[in-house]
Amino acid sequence: MTEMVNIALPKGRLGEKAYALLKAAGYPCPTLEQPNRKLIFENEAAGVRYFWAKPSDVAIYVERGAADIGIVGKDILLEYSPDVYELLDLGMGKCRMAVAAPKHFREPVGDTLRVATKFPNIARAFYAGKCRDIDIIHLNGSIEIAPILGLSDVIVDIVETGTTLRENDLEVLETIVPISARLISNVASYKFKLNRIRAIRQGLEEQVNKV
């Protein structure tokens, strides 16, 4: 009997693209492609068991061992620093973590910089590297509105096309780090299911290189 590998996929477009890669690599799951309300999808012949998770939860499922491997954005890995192995850059879901501010913004000299963000740890580490004194304003909704209403001086957020920034008269000041989807593995699973996980990784890498 083929050893089952539990795979956490992020809900949404990224997860759908990731599954397409896995399917092309030889790990299809027909029940996942059918309209239903199932939560877990298995293909015993391929030795895989899939489930959908909120993107920010994928790393938790993998770290805690509920999933052996998963697909997650690099932003999640940088923000939460989960104890997992990062195995492969899938080269999709590309965007960047950036600092943005209103057009013609001038940074206050000598004053604490107010930074609105959903990613306080990334922002804190970035400005610590600059030895810059900041005040983190942790928001969960639309970050772009913070500097417009005077709540913050700048924002640290994910930028994909930059359209939302431009429509709100904001612009990117500098890029912190490029972001893309990564294949991650549970630490113990990588030891006990090494051959299976390596085979999946290799299959995915071959598909990524075809693109």
Side-chain angles (χ1 to χ4, degrees):
M1 183 177 175
T2 304
E3 186 176 31
M4 297 293 281
V5 174
N6 296 307
I7 305 174
L9 295 173
K11 293 178 180 177
R13 285 182 304 164
L14 181 60
E16 291 167 5
K17 289 181 179 179
Y19 171 70
L21 271 185
L22 285 156
K23 180 181 178 180
Y27 303 95
C29 188
T31 56
L32 184 148
E33 301 171 39
Q34 300 167 359
N36 56 58
R37 295 192 177 186
K38 291 183 67 175
L39 300 175
I40 298 175
F41 311 87
E42 293 186 6
N43 182 348
E44 286 192 27
V48 289
R49 182 184 293 115
Y50 292 103
F51 67 91
W52 297 106
K54 185 178 178 181
S56 57
D57 288 345
V58 169
I60 298 173
Y61 280 107
V62 175
E63 181 179 34
R64 297 279 183 164
D68 298 307
I69 59 176
I71 311 296
V72 66
K74 181 66 174 179
D75 54 308
I76 301 298
L77 300 180
L78 291 171
E79 179 63 22
Y80 299 106
S81 300
D83 183 19
V84 298
Y85 291 144
E86 184 179 328
L87 304 181
L88 181 66
D89 183 348
L90 296 175
M92 59 185 178
K94 289 184 177 181
C95 51
R96 55 180 169 154
M97 188 70 64
V99 180
K103 290 181 179 178
H104 312 301
F105 168 76
R106 289 188 176 184
E107 186 169 324
V109 178
D111 293 335
T112 299
L113 187 70
R114 297 171 301 155
V115 182
T117 186
K118 298 175 186 175
F119 304 94
N121 292 327
I122 292 175
R124 198 172 286 114
F126 175 69
Y127 282 106
K130 290 174 166 286
C131 297
R132 184 70 169 91
D133 187 27
I134 63 170
D135 175 20
I136 292 283
I137 302 165
H138 190 182
L139 298 176
N140 295 306
S142 298
I143 304 296
E144 294 83 5
I145 201 171
I148 297 172
L149 296 179
L151 179 65
S152 72
D153 298 308
V154 301
I155 64 173
V156 167
D157 202 11
I158 290 176
V159 177
E160 192 169 353
T161 63
T163 301
T164 304
L165 293 179
R166 289 191 294 273
E167 289 180 351
N168 289 281
D169 293 321
L170 303 176
E171 61 184 4
V172 171
L173 299 180
E174 52 188 320
T175 295
I176 297 176
V177 65
I179 301 293
S180 58
R182 309 300 168 100
L183 174 69
I184 60 172
S185 170
N186 173 268
V187 173
S189 296
Y190 194 73
K191 177 181 178 181
F192 293 109
K193 298 182 180 182
L194 179 61
N195 291 336
R196 293 281 291 128
I197 291 174
R198 278 187 172 174
I200 293 172
R201 181 201 176 281
Q202 183 176 346
L204 283 172
E205 187 172 32
E206 289 172 359
Q207 295 304 313
V208 169
N209 290 336
K210 286 181 181 179
V211 178

